[in-house]
Amino acid sequence: MNELRLNDENTLPTVGFGTYKAEEQQGIDAVKLALQMGYRLLDTAAKYQNEEAVGKGIKASGIAREEIVVTTKVWRGNLGYEQTKNAFEESLRKLDLTYLDLYLIHWPANEKNFGKDWKKVNAETWRAMEELQAQGKVKSIGVSNFWQEHLEALFETAKVIPAVNQIEFHPGYWQKELTAYCKAKGIRVQGWSPLARGTIFEQEQLKSIAEKHQKTVAQVCLRWCLQQDVIPIPKSTTAKRIIANRAIFDFELSAAEMEQINTIPKMGFSGELPNEWPDRVW
Ligand code: NAP
């Protein structure tokens, strides 16, 4: 599988494996199978409460640790310097690993929950992340669900530019301007819910493009991400889907097809916005 270079010179596989809601034995089995089927980038988060399962899946796969890129995230309830350091150690312990490959701020602090302090809270969280990286405990550091305003505020104090911004990204909601901004700043975009959690499979244009290539709509969505240099991290606990979601390197979408997909109306949006919490229950 091809790889994409990050601004810190590390690389990431072009497709990852999501694990949200893949828990306990189902999570262990999914991670094990995904690794055995060739995925090398795993995405979990403290919030998913499945870091132990992901760690066990890694061991069960028999794939060497250093071949796998393991990502986890500090939850929004643990933002801040000390909290982030503690949360990192807790994640490492649960994953049963000695280092991480990629650590992300799951959601930015915002004005709603931290008032005027929101920038400072993100800055302090980031300072902890920079130290973890300097200590060699994590190879790459990044953010998730950061809009341009959150990134610009971070740049005021950051010594390290985030390597990654992981954002919702699928044909029904792909945050075009934010993606372009990240690219311009050298920040690699990862796409979460690249299948819109299964809500766009009946979209007519996607169906017709998929039919033409003898592929599924899921594969078209993932291929569309790849062709924009966005790393999709589809989740599945179904063996045949885990395998199919990586079978996207044997076809190409034409420029006209890419454009057609780009103009699909907004649909399948999760409703999750970085400046909304904590009022939303999630
Ligand atoms: P997703 O990957 O878009 O969709 C997952 C859903 O689609 C599951 O219900 C899965 O069902 C189904 N599915 C998977 N492959 C399929 C296929 N080929 N055909 C039909 N259905 C298929 O959604 P997601 O899990 O929300 O997002 C992916 C990953 O992104 C997460 O797991 C997580 O790691 C990450 N994420 C990050 C954030 C963030 O804030 N940073 C937010 C959300 C998600 P089965 O499992 O039953 O097969």
Side-chain angles (χ1 to χ4, degrees):
M1 209 193 287
N2 294 332
E3 299 204 316
L4 288 172
R5 193 159 291 281
L6 303 177
N7 61 16
D8 61 10
E9 296 305 316
N10 291 319
T11 57
L12 291 183
T14 51
V15 178
F17 184 69
T19 67
Y20 178 45
K21 296 200 171 160
E23 290 151 14
E24 300 181 358
Q25 193 57 45
Q26 198 184 39
I28 299 173
D29 292 344
V31 168
K32 176 183 168 192
L33 180 66
L35 290 170
Q36 290 177 341
M37 289 300 133
Y39 290 86
R40 287 293 179 269
L41 168 61
L42 300 177
D43 184 78
T44 181
K47 182 64 180 174
Y48 304 165
Q49 298 189 329
N50 65 356
E51 288 169 315
E52 278 114 336
V54 171
K56 285 180 186 165
I58 292 171
K59 290 202 172 57
S61 74
I63 307 292
R65 163 69 184 99
E66 57 277 12
E67 281 187 34
I68 308 167
V69 177
V70 184
T71 313
T72 192
K73 316 180 191 87
V74 56
W75 182 240
R76 51 200 194 188
N78 280 324
L79 299 178
Y81 178 81
E82 284 301 332
Q83 295 92 322
T84 298
K85 290 235 167 152
N86 292 337
F88 178 89
E89 295 301 336
E90 182 69 2
S91 285
L92 214 52
R93 189 186 64 72
K94 287 183 171 163
L95 284 157
D96 196 19
L97 298 176
T98 56
Y99 69 93
L100 265 186
D101 298 278
L102 179 62
Y103 197 44
L104 306 178
I105 302 179
H106 204 147
W107 290 87
N110 63 53
E111 201 166 350
K112 218 170 191 174
N113 49 38
F114 287 98
K116 285 198 299 298
D117 274 348
W118 72 270
K119 287 186 186 184
K120 197 171 157 219
V121 173
N122 286 332
E124 285 295 285
T125 304
W126 192 245
R127 187 164 69 83
M129 311 269 285
E130 290 174 332
E131 282 185 20
L132 291 166
Q133 185 183 38
Q135 290 163 355
K137 294 182 170 185
V138 54
K139 290 187 178 174
S140 298
I141 53 175
V143 297
S144 176
N145 301 303
F146 270 51
W147 280 349
Q148 184 171 334
E149 70 207 57
H150 307 111
L151 286 166
E152 281 171 354
L154 200 70
F155 295 155
E156 289 172 19
T157 53
K159 295 194 186 90
V160 175
I161 299 295
V164 163
N165 190 9
Q166 186 184 110
I167 59 174
E168 181 169 357
F169 193 95
H170 52 75
Y173 183 74
W174 56 289
Q175 309 197 67
K176 185 179 176 183
E177 287 78 20
L178 177 57
T179 302
Y181 176 79
C182 289
K183 282 186 185 175
K185 294 288 172 195
I187 300 170
R188 189 63 72 187
V189 175
Q190 286 188 333
W192 64 254
S193 294
L195 308 175
R197 296 179 178 158
T199 59
I200 54 171
F201 293 154
E202 293 309 315
Q203 208 283 338
E204 285 306 327
Q205 281 148 305
L206 289 173
K207 270 167 66 177
S208 113
I209 293 170
E211 214 167 286
K212 200 169 128 210
H213 289 279
Q214 295 188 303
K215 288 286 178 180
T216 64
V217 169
Q219 288 166 327
V220 167
C221 291
L222 299 171
R223 180 73 209 185
W224 170 81
C225 290
L226 285 195
Q227 288 185 218
Q228 306 200 59
D229 285 340
V230 170
I231 299 172
I233 46 170
K235 172 265 175 185
S236 179
T237 45
T238 312
K240 69 175 197 308
R241 293 173 176 171
I242 292 174
I243 297 165
N245 289 346
R246 260 195 88 242
I248 53 173
F249 296 96
D250 57 353
F251 76 111
E252 195 166 351
L253 299 169
S254 68
E257 288 167 336
M258 288 295 289
E259 194 44 41
Q260 229 187 318
I261 299 173
N262 289 349
T263 53
I264 287 172
K266 184 172 174 178
M267 61 190 298
F269 171 48
S270 66
E272 292 160 18
L273 294 167
N275 288 335
E276 286 297 304
W277 62 277
D279 292 337
R280 291 190 72 255
V281 177
W282 179 57

